[in-house]
Amino acid sequence: MADAEDQALPIPEFGSLLRLDPYLQPYEKDLRRRFSLFQKQLLLLEEAEGGFDQFTRSYNSFGEQRQPDGTLVFKEWAPGAEALFLTGDFNGWDKFSHPYTHMDFGKWELHLPPNKDGTSPVCHGSQLKVVVHTKDGERLYRISPWAKYVTQQRDSVVYDWVHWDPPSPYVLKHPRPKKPRSLRIYESHVGIASPEGRIASYSNFTANVLPRIKDLGYNCIQLMAIMEHAYYASFGYQITSFFAASSRYGTPDELKELIDVAHSMGIVVLLDMVHSHASKNTEDGLNRFDGSDSCFFHGGSRGEHSLWDSRLFNYSSWEVLRFLLSNLRWWMEEYRFDGFRFDGVTSMLYHHHGIGSGFSGDYSEYFGLQVDEDSLVYLMLANHILHSLYEDCITIAEDVSGMPALCRPVTEGGCGFDYRLAMAVPDKWIQILKEYKDEDWNMGDIIYTLTNRRYGESCIAYAESHDQALVGDKTLAFWLMDKDMYTNMSAMVPMNPVIDRGIQLHKMIRLITHSLGGEGYLNFMGNEFGHPEWLDFPRQGNNESYHYARRQFNLVDMDHLRYQQLYAFDRDMNRTEDKYGWLSAPPAFVSAKHEGDKVIVFERANVLFIFNFHPSNSYSGYRVGVGAPGKYPSCLQNTSCRTCNGTNYWGRQMKVELRGTAR
């Protein structure tokens, strides 16, 4: 971790950004204003809190805290409350016996001395509630926003705050790995990481999924749905308790072990961070914590997301900044995550939240009154603080708008993210498979989509993610092979044309995306082997079934199924990238895109890539230009795969003999 005391105000350097992107020159004043707002917040943190180090450690003073003498201190921010009380197992659920003291700036505090025998006044595992008396005379029962552990009783829909203070907590053993040169991300959901129709556990993921990820050659895991969310089917995007690791998968210690074991394998772990909005739940969420409409959120319509039916944070509030920035620090310090994928960044950046906005690419869309500069400054603060404290921290933005400088350093006037998701790429592949015959595929359109990104701003490319796996959509494998996957994926039956085409295109789409589409690569769990069917969480509409809320890893373990072939290809693709490093190399040079032949040729990291997308033609003696004359050995060799039935590793699409000549 970097020296937290070295918190001098960053010095702006806009020249490099403006040279990198001349289209930003008319908006230099806007960039400077944003940076001045960011600097002002840093200066205020220094004056009021002594710097961002202590400010972002507020999880050590808010919520519940055990002191060295055994005293428990409870502290909350509830500016709209008339009175606060603590109740729970420890006092027989007496609603009035333990009042909080009202402090300055809407804060409340309660001290519970240790028992006469020195033991804690609140036992580990016991339940607690904050009783809030509002100025309107209401009595509300709430969970502390800073609660570290919440659980749900089998016969209840509401989560309970549980005092988590184990006598022998898990001790992390392994240091964080260094930031990978090339980022290969395995997007994962712990609860569905099992072939069984139930909610899987942290321990299952550690024992059964981590070895697969390591074998496949991924060096980064993005964990979804970890922050506690009362509604399982929300996929973890309706957060109720921001500091609590979801208890439906196990205990906090079991999550720590998962991350620790991943680190021992050299794998970094990112958390899917949802600071763009919060659940509307009141009894077990942040909403109306103090009885008011505007405690953590904007009041009125500005505080509600009309499409997501959720609450929107007030990023101009000092205590909201404390809460959110401390939340980032908590996950980095307590669980040793290596960074974050920030969800819903487009919604944060604009007052319109991206609703009804097509984003043509006109730079006027990225500046002006439509931009929410409070949330923009929050993201600048978050990235600056994270990268100042943790030099190997990785931050990824989910932004569909194409905001310029999002992935440039804050000191250049950027937002400070390391990567953005290349969200147009999976949409393009789905569009092609839905709307075009094989012979009508446009090579130029494919190349344009895969290379259309801001120079100097790194992108994470992916052919599909969890979005495409959800019910209502289809994975690439299902678009390609559909119902034939149920009857013809066995090597004991002859290969039919649908499966033959599907396997070939599945490999080719993933490889060209991996090698041409960005500076990092992402795969959603199970899609590497062409996972059949869709993903659907238990809900009323499917009779609370877990049948589709699982990943059938067992299919890869069956020797007679062709899923093994796709798995082997994905593994070798990642291992080859690890050897040659094309993701960390400069953008590719595309030397050929032949619409008639359906051939694409490009070079990257001294590797020559040749793709033949023609549905029927193979080519011999096909001449392509290369950077240097000579022999080019095959990088991605055929592997021993019992399901290939002796066919070429690439499939018929790549039965070509190509000879290089000097360019």
Side-chain angles (χ1 to χ4, degrees), residues 127 151-160 230 283-284:
Q127 294 184 10
T151 61
Q152 184 184 41
Q153 299 297 319
R154 186 177 297 274
D155 57 348
S156 175
V157 296
V158 177
Y159 274 72
D160 297 307
E283 286 193 53
D284 53 9

Side-chain angles (χ1 to χ4, degrees), residues 336-447:
R336 305 278 289 179
F337 277 96
D338 301 285
F340 305 100
R341 178 264 201 189
F342 281 77
D343 179 69
V345 169
T346 304
S347 175
M348 298 174 70
L349 291 175
Y350 308 96
H351 290 294
H352 54 61
H353 309 301
I355 301 172
S357 299
F359 295 110
S360 67
D362 190 306
Y363 275 52
S364 64
E365 296 171 342
Y366 307 122
F367 299 93
L369 296 178
Q370 66 267 32
V371 176
D372 187 339
E373 291 190 334
D374 290 335
S375 59
L376 182 66
V377 169
Y378 164 69
L379 292 172
M380 294 170 73
L381 279 171
N383 277 300
H384 172 72
I385 291 170
L386 286 170
H387 290 106
S388 296
L389 294 172
Y390 313 96
E391 62 180 353
D392 284 331
C393 180
I394 300 167
T395 58
I396 302 171
E398 187 211 29
D399 170 46
V400 72
S401 75
M403 169 69 79
L406 189 69
C407 299
R408 296 302 300 176
V410 173
T411 52
E412 292 183 8
C415 208
F417 284 99
D418 296 297
Y419 299 89
R420 73 193 325 147
L421 294 177
M423 300 181 71
V425 174
D427 292 342
K428 175 55 65 176
W429 287 123
I430 296 300
Q431 179 196 25
I432 290 172
L433 293 176
K434 286 175 64 174
E435 299 178 8
Y436 296 99
K437 298 178 181 178
D438 290 3
E439 57 267 27
D440 295 331
W441 285 26
N442 187 302
M443 301 296 101
D445 191 29
I446 291 172
I447 291 171

Side-chain angles (χ1 to χ4, degrees), residues 105-356:
F105 307 111
K107 298 182 178 70
W108 301 80
E109 201 167 284
L110 168 64
H111 291 245
L112 292 182
N115 296 325
K116 292 181 179 179
D117 60 0
T119 58
S120 173
V122 180
C123 298
H124 167 65
S126 60
Q127 294 184 10
L128 298 165
K129 287 278 189 184
V130 178
V131 183
V132 179
H133 286 245
T134 72
K135 294 176 181 178
D136 294 330
E138 291 182 283
R139 183 191 302 162
L140 308 174
Y141 295 89
R142 296 288 187 255
I143 287 176
S144 169
W146 302 79
K148 309 302 192 298
Y149 189 56
V150 296
T151 61
Q152 184 184 41
Q153 299 297 319
R154 186 177 297 274
D155 57 348
S156 175
V157 296
V158 177
Y159 274 72
D160 297 307
W161 176 18
V162 174
H163 179 58
W164 183 259
D165 190 15
S168 301
Y170 183 85
V171 178
L172 294 161
K173 306 175 183 66
H174 302 283
R176 287 189 174 102
K178 299 294 288 183
K179 182 190 296 187
R181 177 191 64 168
S182 299
L183 202 60
R184 302 182 297 273
I185 304 172
Y186 197 79
E187 186 184 31
S188 305
H189 186 292
V190 170
I192 65 171
S194 167
E196 299 177 32
R198 59 178 177 83
I199 297 176
S201 67
Y202 295 124
S203 297
N204 166 75
F205 196 96
T206 302
N208 299 316
V209 183
L210 284 182
R212 294 182 187 272
I213 297 172
K214 178 67 174 176
D215 179 61
L216 282 164
Y218 291 94
N219 56 17
C220 177
I221 299 169
Q222 178 187 306
L223 284 181
M224 309 172 64
I226 294 298
M227 302 161 74
E228 191 61 270
H229 48 292
Y231 184 42
Y232 187 44
S234 73
F235 223 142
Y237 292 120
Q238 293 272 346
I239 305 300
T240 45
S241 290
F242 282 73
F243 287 82
S246 182
S247 60
R248 55 170 56 87
Y249 318 128
T251 68
D253 282 0
E254 289 165 342
L255 174 58
K256 291 178 183 178
E257 182 182 23
L258 185 162
I259 296 169
D260 201 25
V261 173
H263 285 169
S264 74
M265 297 178 174
I267 300 172
V268 298
V269 186
L270 307 183
L271 176 65
D272 208 344
M273 176 56 63
V274 186
H275 279 182
S276 50
H277 65 130
S279 168
K280 273 189 173 180
N281 287 19
T282 53
E283 286 193 53
D284 53 9
L286 294 183
N287 193 19
R288 298 188 74 243
F289 173 69
D290 65 353
S292 73
D293 184 45
S294 56
C295 183
F296 287 91
F297 311 107
H298 288 292
S301 60
R302 189 181 176 189
E304 300 202 6
H305 197 292
S306 59
L307 290 184
W308 297 344
D309 192 30
S310 55
R311 297 305 311 271
L312 299 174
F313 287 105
N314 179 4
Y315 302 101
S316 66
S317 165
W318 191 260
E319 293 303 324
V320 171
L321 287 179
R322 182 195 304 277
F323 181 81
L324 294 177
L325 292 173
S326 294
N327 189 232
L328 297 173
R329 191 82 184 271
W330 164 258
W331 292 104
M332 293 293 288
E333 290 286 336
E334 184 70 13
Y335 289 92
R336 305 278 289 179
F337 277 96
D338 301 285
F340 305 100
R341 178 264 201 189
F342 281 77
D343 179 69
V345 169
T346 304
S347 175
M348 298 174 70
L349 291 175
Y350 308 96
H351 290 294
H352 54 61
H353 309 301
I355 301 172

Side-chain angles (χ1 to χ4, degrees), residues 99 111 219 363 492 519 609 611 620:
H111 291 245
N219 56 17
Y363 275 52
M492 294 188 293
E519 290 68 42
F609 293 88
F611 290 86
S620 296

Side-chain angles (χ1 to χ4, degrees), residues 600-628:
I600 294 173
V601 182
F602 59 89
E603 294 176 66
R604 192 175 185 189
N606 296 317
V607 179
L608 176 65
F609 293 88
I610 307 167
F611 290 86
N612 173 20
F613 281 99
H614 201 286
S616 57
N617 290 356
S618 294
Y619 305 103
S620 296
Y622 201 98
R623 298 170 69 87
V624 300
V626 293

